[in-house]
Amino acid sequence: MKFENPYAIFGREFACECGRTHRVAPREVLYAPAAALRAPEFCARAAKGRRAAAVMDLRTRRVAGEAVCDALSRAGWTVQVIVVPDPAPEHSPVCDDLTRDRIAAEMGPVDLAVSVGGGVMTDLVRWVTFERKIPFVSVATAASMNGYASASIAGTVKGVKCLIYAHAPDAVLADPQTLRDAPFELTASGLGDVLAKPISTADWRFNHMVLGDYYCPLSVGIVADIEPLYIERPEGIRARAPEAMEALFQACLLTGVAMNIADTSAPASGGEHMISHVLDMMCAVYGGEHDMHGRQVGVGTILSAELYRRVLAVESPVFVEPASSTDRAFWGPLHDEVEPHYQGKVERLRLAAERLAEGGTWDHVRRTLAPMLRRPETLRDCLAHAGAAYRAEDIGCTPDRLKRALLHGHEIRSRITILDLARLVGVMPAAADEVIEQWAS
Ligand SMILES: [Zn+2]
Ligand SMILES: [Zn+2]
C-alpha cells in the first residue's frame, strides 16, 4: 500500500497485505501556519455539540492555548479553559492518575476536549476523554514524541509506569512555527524517539520470524521514505530547517500510526525503549530524576544498535538457557510488579532458542535483520549533529547507572527484544561494560 503523501494515510480504511483491515486514526491532520485558529472546523467535524474543554499548561496556554480558545469562542463554542498547574516550581505537569482525576473533576459537561501541548497534555486529555467517551482534538506544540496520533497513554498509576490503551484524537493540528519555536530539547527528544524505529522494527521482525507473532510490513515501512530527511541530515534538525522539522513531525505521527494499526507498541518500541523505561523506574528505587523519554530512547537506540552488531556477528551461537526469574535485589520494591512480565516470556525465550538452533534459522535471522538496521555510528552521529543527547552524561546519569538499565531492560516486558537476544547468544551480560565504555561514556 502506497499513499500519495505522508498525510494521505489519515482517515483511510484499507485491506493490508498483513491480512488485517486497517482504519487509520486520527481522521485528519493539519500541518499549516496558524493551525490553532482552524481548531473550530476540526472540532465541529469531531463533536456532536458545541461545548468544548481546552486543556493546557501554563506554557502551552501562551503558545497556542489562548488562540484555540479565542477561535472556538468566536465560532460560537462554549469553552471551558482548564489550565493544569505545575506540580512544583520548575516542574511541568506529569501524566499520572492524580492529575487525570483532577482534570476529570474540573471538566464540566462538554462534547469534546482539545489538548494543547506535547506528550503529557495529549495523554492526559486522551485518558479523560476516553473514560468519558467523548472525542478529542490535539493541538501539538512540539515535535517531541510519537504519541500524538497514538491510541495509548504512557501514564503512571499508583506510582508505576504503565501503557494504557485508550483512543487516538480525531484530528491533530500543528503550526510549523510553533514546533520550530518549541524548546529545542523537546525537538531533540522527538528525534531520539523516532530514531528507535529501525531497532524496534528488527525486534518485532525477530518475534515474527522465530515465534510467528503478527507482523505488518506497512507499519514497518511507514517512515522509510522520510527517515533519510532527518537521519542523514541532522543539521537540518539543529537549524530547525522547515523540511527537516516537517519530516520529524511526520515521523512522530506515523510511528504512532504504526502502533495503532498494528495494535501493539512493537513497531516503535523495542529494546531501546526498555532501557529508557528502566531508567524511569530506577528513580522509584534508587532516587534521582530521569530525563525526557525521547532523549533516553536515543541513547538506548545507540546501545541497542551496538548489541545488534555484536549479536549478528556471531556465526555459530551456543544458546544460553534464559534466567528463570528477575533480579530481586535490583528491583527492590518494584520486584513484584516486574516479575510477572518476565515470567510471561521465559517459555517464549526457551522456544526461541530451540528454533534458532534448527539448521539454517540463525543465518536466516542474520540475513533478514542486518539490512533493517542502522549502524550505531550513524545513530550517534545523527543525534550528536542534531544537538541531541547521545551519552550517559547528556541524560543526567552515570555510565554505571546506564549500564544497570542496560542489564535489566529485558526483565520488564513479555516481548522479546535485542536485550533478550543478546543474552540468548551469550553476548550479554559479558559485553555490558564494553558497550557502555564504547558508546555512552
Ligand atoms: Zn517512545
Ligand atoms: Zn497491515
Side-chain angles (χ1 to χ4, degrees), residues 14-22 214-219 261-262:
F14 54 90
C16 180
E17 60 182 289
C18 72
R20 292 185 182 176
T21 295
H22 299 311
Y214 163 75
Y215 178 82
C216 167
L218 173 73
S219 302
I261 63 182

Side-chain angles (χ1 to χ4, degrees), residues 146 193 268 273 293 297:
N146 64 14
D193 206 13
H273 268 72
H293 171 76
V297 168

Side-chain angles (χ1 to χ4, degrees), residues 31-105:
Y31 183 79
L37 299 180
R38 290 181 55 192
E41 57 185 277
F42 289 85
C43 292
R45 283 194 285 273
K48 292 200 176 76
R50 287 290 178 276
R51 296 167 304 174
V55 184
M56 56 202 79
D57 69 14
L58 295 162
R59 284 151 288 271
T60 63
R61 170 156 84 175
R62 267 196 325 271
V63 171
E66 278 164 4
V68 169
C69 293
D70 289 350
L72 284 169
S73 299
R74 275 200 306 276
W77 287 70
T78 310
V79 185
Q80 182 192 6
V81 184
I82 299 177
V83 180
V84 182
D86 287 355
E90 307 293 313
H91 282 76
S92 46
V94 292
C95 181
D96 62 9
D97 43 357
L98 299 175
T99 316
R100 172 205 60 188
D101 292 346
R102 220 170 289 142
I103 296 171

